[in-house]
Structure formats: C-alpha cells, structure tokens
C-alpha cells in the first residue's frame, strides 16, 4: 500500500515563501507521475504542478507558473513544492498525489490519481 505524507505547510505573509515536501513509502515499483493539488474552502480541488518521475519533466497550472517549482529526490522518495511570491489566493489545503500506471499521466486532473496524502495547510495573509 502506497502512503504519502505531506509536510511543510504553515502561515506566511504575502510575498513570502514556503516549501512543501511529500514523502512516499510502500508499494512496489515507481510512480509514473506525482502532483500537487490544493483545495480552498468551498472550492474544487485544483491541480497545481506535476512531475514525471522517470524524466523529471514538469507541468504547472497557469496560476502558479513562474512562482512554484516542483522537484523530486528519488533517493529519498520525496517530491517537493517550492512556493515563492505567495499570494492570499494561494491559501488552501495542499495535497500530494501519485499515479501508478503505464498509461498517460492524468496531469492536473484529480480523478486520475491513485494515491493521496492527508494534506498540509498553507495560509497566506495580506
């Protein structure tokens, strides 16, 4: 059973930075892609960034492009999300997700991912 555990959330003022980490454990083989999603109260879960684990190729939502960076440390089985120039609208619960399959990566579509972490809260004040 694959387990994902997020860490690094917190409160920061607008313009500040946070780094989220997602530690993976369990399962066999390697995920095909991993992603970060976020969900604010009363809103749908939104895809933020994706990384293809075999190649480290990345893809971002337009709302975070140029501010957020997704990366992986294969040796430590972790995926990180560096968030810079944070805005109040970035406030949400952030989740990491992994996709294990030989099919196409679901990109920023939440329904396509196999495993999810419990989430970590990010709060950005103005």
């Amino acid at each position: 059973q694959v387990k994902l555990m997020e860490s690094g959330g917190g409160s920061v003022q607008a313009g500040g930075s946070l780094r989220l980490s997602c530690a993976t454990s369990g399962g066999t083989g390697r995920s095909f892609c991993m992603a970060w999603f976020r969900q604010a109260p009363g809103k749908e879960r939104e895809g933020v960034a994706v990384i293809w684990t075999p190649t480290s190729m990345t893809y971002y939502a337009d709302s975070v492009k140029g501010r957020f960076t997704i990366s992986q440390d294969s040796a430590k089985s972790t995926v990180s999300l560096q968030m810079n120039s944070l805005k109040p609208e970035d406030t949400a619960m952030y989740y990491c997700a992994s996709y294990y399959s030989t099919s196409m990566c679901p990109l920023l579509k939440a329904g396509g991912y196999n495993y999810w972490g419990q989430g970590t809260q990010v709060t950005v004040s103005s």
Side-chain angles (χ1 to χ4, degrees):
Q1 180 70 18
V2 175
K3 292 185 179 180
L4 306 177
M5 176 86 63
E6 302 95 337
S7 61
S11 297
V12 65
Q13 290 191 328
S17 298
L18 282 173
R19 186 177 181 87
L20 307 182
S21 291
C22 175
T24 64
S25 62
T28 57
R30 188 179 183 185
S31 64
F32 184 60
C33 61
M34 293 191 67
W36 285 95
F37 289 79
R38 65 186 181 187
Q39 188 166 21
K43 294 188 176 182
E44 291 187 356
R45 192 163 294 190
E46 173 193 19
V48 173
V50 181
I51 186 165
W52 278 259
T53 51
T55 63
S56 294
M57 188 170 64
T58 59
Y59 180 80
Y60 297 93
D62 288 343
S63 58
V64 304
K65 201 172 294 184
R67 299 189 298 123
F68 290 11
T69 302
I70 187 171
S71 61
Q72 64 174 340
D73 183 334
S74 300
K76 297 181 180 180
S77 298
T78 60
V79 172
S80 298
L81 185 68
Q82 177 67 41
M83 305 185 295
N84 299 328
S85 302
L86 283 161
K87 305 175 182 180
E89 51 263 44
D90 294 319
T91 295
M93 184 72 79
Y94 281 72
Y95 301 88
C96 70
S98 63
Y99 177 71
Y100 283 75
S101 177
T102 56
S103 300
M104 290 182 63
C105 176
L107 293 180
L108 300 180
K109 297 178 182 178
Y113 284 82
N114 309 105
Y115 300 99
W116 291 84
Q118 294 299 308
T120 185
Q121 178 67 38
V122 171
T123 303
V124 185
S125 58
S126 58

